[in-house]
Structures are given as C-alpha cells and as structure tokens.
Amino acid sequence: MTQKVAVLGTGKIGEALLSGMIRAGWSPADLLVTARRPERAEELRTRYGVSPVTNPEAAKTADTLILTVKPQDMGTLLVELAPHVPADRLVISGAAGIPTSFFEERLAQGTPVVRVMTNTPALVDEAMSVISAGSHATAEHLAHAEEIFGAVGKTLRVPESQQDACTALSGSGPAYFFYLVEAMTDAGILLGLPREKAHDLIVQSAIGAAVMLRDSGEHPVKLRENVTSPAGTTINAIRELENHGVRAALIAAIEAARDRGRELASGNNT
Ligand SMILES: NC(=O)C1=CN([C@@H]2O[C@H](COP(=O)(O)OP(=O)(O)OC[C@H]3O[C@@H](n4cnc5c(N)ncnc54)[C@H](OP(=O)(O)O)[C@@H]3O)[C@@H](O)[C@H]2O)C=CC1
Ligand SMILES: O=C(O)[C@@H]1CCC=N1
C-alpha cells in the first residue's frame, strides 16, 4: 500500500524536505502539504504538483504527518490537529526545542512521535538530520523517518536528551559557516579585492576544506597544521583568532543556541 506523507506548515524547512523527497522519487500524488496562506498553498501546488489540504484533512488522509511550523506555532497547530489524528499515525516534529512529550500529551494515547532536527542544506541534498524516538515510536517508525530525511542527506539517531545540543551544532550550524564566509569576504574587501572575487575565493576554499574534512580521514588539527607553515602567513592569522577569543566565542555561541532550545521547550516563546 502506498504511504502518504503530509508536510504541515510548509515553509523553508518543509519545502526543502518536500523538494528533496520529490527529487528522490516520491510521487507528488503521495505528498500532501498544508500552508497558512492560500497564496503559499498555490505556490506549492504550482511548483511541485502536490495537493494542498487543510490540517485536519492531512491528519485524516496521510499515514505520516511531518510538522514543520515554528516552535511558537506548534501548540496552536496541535489544538487544531488533535481531534483528527488517529493514534496509528506517525507524527514527526521538525521543530527546535519542543520535546516529543509535548506532542504525546496533546495527541491520542499511544501516538508514535519522532523528533527530527534537520538543516537547510536539505535544499542541496546535504542535510544533517538528527532523529530521536518518542516513547511510543518503534524501530519501524524510526526507519521510516530515516527513509524520509535520508532523501535530503545524512541521518543520525541520538537519544532525545541530545537534541538541543545537536540543534545548536548542526541545525543552526550552516548559519555559522555563512557568517564566517560573510566576515572573510569583508576581510577580502579590506585587502582591496572586489567583493565577487573575494566571495568566490572563500566559497571554493570552504568547499575544499569541507571535502577534506569529510574524505581525508585526518583530524581537523592535522589539516590546519598542514596549512600553517613555520614563520609563514597562516600562523599570524591564527594568533589573531586566538587573541580575539574566537574559539571561546564559538563555544559560548553554541552553548547559547543550546540554551535557547531549552527555553523553547519550557514554553518561553518570546
Ligand atoms: N530554518 C532552519 O534552518 C531550520 C528550522 N527548523 C525548524 O523548522 C521549523 C520551521 O522553520 P522554518 O521553515 O525556518 O520556518 P517558516 O516560517 O519558513 O515555516 C513555517 C511555516 O509554517 C506555516 N504555518 C504556521 N502555522 C501554521 C498552521 N497552523 N497551519 C499551516 N501552516 C502554518 C507558516 O506560515 P506563514 O508563512 O503564514 O508564516 C510558515 O510557512 C521550526 O520549528 C524550526 O525550529 C529546523 C531546522 C533548521
Ligand atoms: O534558529 C532556529 O531556531 C532554527 C532551528 C535550527 C535552525 N534554525
């Protein structure tokens, strides 16, 4: 029997996942989407050939519901959904912070819930998606979530207690790299390079470094040491990074992101 999957609240992450599933071979006929605004629903229908439905229709029709609204909107969505979700539906949450217990408390007793934190490289099939089971989710439910999110990149199972840390590292992680590229491009401008040229140099260096990190089997320290010649240029830059506390700033930044995930879980939505 064909499994129908619905993406509820199809914004940036929901659309990234939807587009990846279609690229991976899912039929648009088996995919449903919901949106808050009619023009957004039409955009998704035109772009992907999927059927926009209401949240209750999605709950009644689809075998798997993937909830990709903002954490702040999840409570309202669940109030609307709860009367319509049969307890055999798999509910997957893509939201930061919100624990699986939040869903279990609001849905029918025994509803299987899986929590997933993906990231925007899903748009280019290079996502990192971190997956945890709620208390009623079985190995089969986890495997199904892996099949869906595997369409857009790598997946990793973690205990739910590690989700806020993973959100801070890989969920938000692409933003840190974009920020770094932005800052390095500004440095290129300072040194007199045209912006476009500086951007291209940094992006290709980032791609090269990323492939080496993934494929060389070498520790990042060794890779950095290989670039850092005695009395050369790189060590002068590294000294400045250390002087400015960049390592400590990154550790503090990621800890702050983790803490915000915890706040979202405790209902602090401001
Ligand atoms: N952005 C990222 O990098 C990542 C985000 N996430 C998580 O993904 C989730 C979505 O984030 P993101 O895609 O950035 O946010 P978006 O705002 O782009 O997407 C959320 C969408 O949900 C819609 N929506 C809200 N309430 C309802 C409702 N009741 N019914 C139907 N649609 C609704 C919104 O409509 P409208 O357009 O009208 O506001 C919006 O289009 C969040 O929970 C976030 O924590 C996870 C990993 C990475
Ligand atoms: O900033 C956020 O809250 C979301 C979750 C991870 C990435 N973006």
Side-chain angles (χ1 to χ4, degrees), residues 75-121:
T76 308
L77 176 62
L78 285 175
V79 167
E80 188 187 358
L81 279 183
H84 307 285
V85 183
D88 63 350
R89 295 292 188 267
L90 169 60
V91 174
I92 300 178
S93 165
I98 315 280
T100 52
S101 58
F102 182 90
F103 300 87
E104 290 166 354
E105 284 159 13
R106 287 161 178 78
L107 295 169
Q109 172 64 29
T111 304
V113 179
V114 169
R115 178 172 167 185
V116 180
M117 177 47 54
T118 187
N119 61 15
T120 56

Side-chain angles (χ1 to χ4, degrees), residues 1-267:
M1 194 188 75
T2 314
Q3 289 271 315
K4 279 199 186 300
V5 175
V7 181
L8 286 80
T10 317
K12 287 185 285 296
I13 280 293
E15 182 173 357
L17 180 62
L18 179 76
S19 65
M21 289 176 76
I22 292 172
R23 283 193 297 281
W26 258 268
S27 164
D30 298 325
L31 298 173
L32 306 172
V33 293
T34 82
R36 194 153 48 179
R37 290 168 293 113
E39 65 273 22
R40 174 64 178 159
E42 265 324 295
E43 191 174 70
L44 293 163
R45 185 204 298 277
T46 310
R47 209 173 275 169
Y48 301 104
V50 292
S51 304
V53 293
T54 64
N55 290 321
E57 279 166 354
K60 286 178 211 154
T61 316
D63 305 282
T64 301
L65 308 175
I66 306 176
L67 313 188
T68 56
V69 301
K70 296 276 190 208
Q72 292 86 341
D73 291 327
M74 202 57 94
T76 308
L77 176 62
L78 285 175
V79 167
E80 188 187 358
L81 279 183
H84 307 285
V85 183
D88 63 350
R89 295 292 188 267
L90 169 60
V91 174
I92 300 178
S93 165
I98 315 280
T100 52
S101 58
F102 182 90
F103 300 87
E104 290 166 354
E105 284 159 13
R106 287 161 178 78
L107 295 169
Q109 172 64 29
T111 304
V113 179
V114 169
R115 178 172 167 185
V116 180
M117 177 47 54
T118 187
N119 61 15
T120 56
L123 284 166
V124 292
D125 299 336
E126 290 288 354
M128 181 70 247
S129 302
V130 181
I131 299 181
S132 306
S135 44
H136 309 298
T138 63
E140 202 182 324
H141 296 125
L142 280 174
H144 190 45
E146 281 169 342
E147 187 194 356
I148 291 171
F149 282 84
V152 292
K154 285 192 181 210
T155 63
L156 178 72
R157 289 187 194 188
V158 300
E160 189 172 3
S161 57
Q162 293 177 358
Q163 275 279 351
D164 289 328
C166 295
T167 299
L169 280 177
S170 58
S172 302
Y176 316 146
F177 290 109
F178 298 139
Y179 178 89
L180 199 60
V181 168
E182 202 186 316
M184 289 172 76
T185 305
D186 278 348
I189 304 293
L190 181 77
L191 302 187
L193 294 175
R195 181 168 290 279
E196 204 181 317
K197 210 167 266 177
H199 174 85
D200 289 351
L201 296 180
I202 299 303
V203 169
Q204 182 54 31
S205 301
I207 292 169
V211 172
M212 288 176 79
L213 282 165
R214 189 188 59 192
D215 297 344
S216 70
E218 294 282 9
H219 193 280
V221 170
K222 175 82 174 98
L223 294 174
R224 180 174 61 74
E225 283 174 356
N226 288 344
V227 186
T228 312
S229 309
T233 59
T234 313
I235 191 61
N236 270 25
I238 299 289
R239 182 178 59 183
E240 288 304 312
L241 292 172
E242 295 295 343
N243 279 343
H244 286 87
V246 172
R247 183 185 298 262
L250 279 170
I251 292 170
I254 290 170
E255 188 181 35
R258 188 279 315 269
D259 292 348
R260 180 60 187 147
R262 287 180 176 171
E263 276 177 21
L264 288 168
S266 69

